[in-house]
Amino acid sequence: MTEQDLDLTGLTAVQLLDGYRKGEFSPVDVTRATLARAERIQPEVNAFVRLTADEALVQAAASADRWRRGEPAGLLDGVPVTVKDILLLRGAPTRKGSKTISEQGRWEEDAPSVARLREHGAVFVGKTTTPEFGWKGVTDSPQSGVTRNPHDPTRTAGGSSGGAAAAVALGAGPLALGTDGGGSVRIPAAFCGIFALKPTYGRVPLYPASAFGTLAHVGPMTRDAADAALLLDVIGTPDSRDWSALASPPGSFAAGLAGGVRGLRVAYSPSLGGQVAVQPAVAAAVRRAVERLAELGAYVTEADPDFTDPVDAFHTLWFSGAARVTQPLGPHQRELLDPGLQEICAQGARLTALDYLAAVDVRMELGRRMGHFHDTYDLLVTPTLPITAFEAGVEVPKGSGHRRWTGWTPFTYPFNLTQQPAATVPVGTDGDGLPVGLQLVAARHRDDLVLRAAHALYEAGVADTAVSLMPSGS
């Protein structure tokens, strides 16, 4: 790889678009560098299930021609993007990490978010890894193996959008589409040291509908908040295939970034009222970032939202969704499933409609409590995760005593239940050089506040956009 290639793969989408306008480099240059980077990192981190190099270069050449004519197709013309292998990408199989889904088929349809990106001239460089059907907070599957952390390949990249996070962190495309049903863009982004946003439910349309129902969100995974705002401007518009999609937002998220945090009322909850044991290095990094928010003019108060851990209700909704995903499979196909997925499907199949509705009641009360909380506070700040990345290839850290991935993700899944926008921002590292994430949460429909606050942290130098080069010298 040349020095110029490395420079190009280290640029954000905003910087790439500026370079295209000025004629400093072309989408073809950038796409070639991105594909070379993806091929280089793949043997060590396993971020991709498929690279779509031929199609990407054709798209890049068309984009370069449009830029030469001064007629870019849209807001992201020529910018490389990856797509999690949960979302449909026309011309490429979507196997969802499962041996039960065949590559055979015509694969003629784009998911709504992918369709919007195609309309805006984005270049699709590949499909990224996911655990089977996106069921857990780490990324390994029977179909694609283990995805590893860019900062230490012996550690997990997190999940379920682990391939997407690793690709962005390593410069294999500045933009990625991920999905988040319980933290699945925020968990791997925090472990890999990038930005990710779970938007308000319905802001980004989803089709086909997820069996995990209204827990499931599509969100941007990027190098910084400015790129995420630009990406959300593209993908955050209605699609007739999703009846729950929100109307178009009243303005541009990218245009609203400059508002800063001065005057915002911020609640800082370091442990959800003592419910979560947080590693000291994580707690310290998050506290330093919160102190910086106060220096930037936010009114910061240490305050906890009024709820107890809703994990049982989440499990009822999540496990029954997993059971529904696998319900059509025959006995032989079920034997091919991830053993952990088999376990939660069996639990989900035993749940009744009344169990499900009781979990919905818990969810509705949690939403009421958080709505009331945001009458007082514009933003809630927590650690994204109480720990940094642990050993790759396992669902829970060894010796933790946790049975399922939800045991170590108590800050993320509550806000899938409430459908609120929540983002993770990289705010430092632990003693082993592993990234620490800070989570920003706002009331439903206030994605703009989350993005503004995150952007302020980037502008203040609290968050880092540097591309990881992997410590092993690969």
Side-chain angles (χ1 to χ4, degrees), residues 125-451:
V125 297
K127 301 293 293 289
T128 54
T129 53
T130 176
E132 196 163 23
F133 301 111
W135 79 271
K136 61 184 174 180
V138 294
T139 300
D140 58 72
S141 76
Q143 188 251 324
S144 57
V146 177
T147 297
R148 300 177 180 275
N149 194 292
H151 299 267
D152 179 350
T154 69
R155 312 285 184 118
T156 180
S160 62
S161 305
V168 171
L170 287 166
L175 305 179
L177 290 179
T179 63
D180 189 315
S184 288
V185 300
R186 290 162 288 155
I187 295 164
F191 277 176
C192 293
I194 67 166
F195 181 81
L197 170 69
K198 178 190 75 67
T200 299
Y201 177 79
R203 170 51 53 217
V204 181
L206 177 61
Y207 170 85
S210 172
F212 298 108
T214 56
L215 295 173
H217 303 58
V218 177
M221 305 178 71
T222 59
R223 298 274 303 288
D224 61 18
D227 272 10
L230 180 60
L231 180 50
L232 190 58
D233 280 340
V234 170
I235 65 177
T237 56
D239 188 289
S240 61
R241 294 172 291 175
D242 183 352
W243 60 269
S244 64
L246 299 175
S248 294
S252 162
F253 292 107
L257 288 175
V261 297
R262 183 166 299 279
L264 292 182
R265 302 163 300 168
V266 176
Y268 167 45
S269 179
S271 62
L272 294 180
Q275 296 182 75
V276 184
V278 179
Q279 285 180 355
V282 172
V286 173
R287 184 173 289 276
R288 286 193 297 270
V290 170
E291 291 170 352
R292 190 71 179 107
L293 285 173
E295 293 169 1
L296 294 171
Y299 298 115
V300 177
T301 304
E302 192 161 319
D304 301 306
D306 178 26
F307 66 79
T308 55
D309 188 355
V311 68
D312 290 337
F314 180 80
H315 281 169
T316 295
L317 300 172
W318 194 252
F319 294 176
S320 58
R324 176 61 180 147
V325 166
T326 58
Q327 187 179 28
L329 302 180
H332 173 68
Q333 288 178 303
R334 288 179 179 274
E335 291 176 2
L336 300 176
L337 295 175
D338 181 328
L341 178 58
Q342 292 183 46
E343 289 179 15
I344 71 163
C345 288
Q347 290 178 256
R350 292 191 293 269
L351 295 166
T352 68
L354 289 178
D355 294 329
Y356 191 94
L357 290 173
V360 171
D361 286 344
V362 172
R363 181 181 194 179
M364 293 173 70
E365 173 59 16
L366 179 61
R368 184 196 68 78
R369 288 173 181 261
M370 286 309 301
H372 180 66
F373 184 82
H374 286 291
D375 286 338
T376 303
Y377 299 104
D378 298 304
L379 291 168
L380 169 66
V381 175
T382 74
T384 307
L385 296 165
I387 60 175
T388 52
F390 52 89
E391 179 185 357
V394 295
E395 183 184 346
V396 300
K398 289 184 177 178
S400 67
H402 299 310
R403 173 63 180 153
R404 295 265 78 103
W405 62 271
T406 44
W408 52 270
T409 61
F411 293 110
T412 60
Y413 57 77
F415 305 109
N416 291 81
L417 290 166
T418 60
Q419 303 186 342
Q420 293 171 248
T424 183
V425 182
V427 292
T429 57
D430 69 3
D432 294 322
L434 297 168
V436 171
L438 171 149
Q439 181 174 233
L440 293 159
V441 184
R444 291 176 74 244
H445 311 294
R446 293 313 309 266
D447 307 73
D448 60 317
L449 289 183
V450 171
L451 288 164

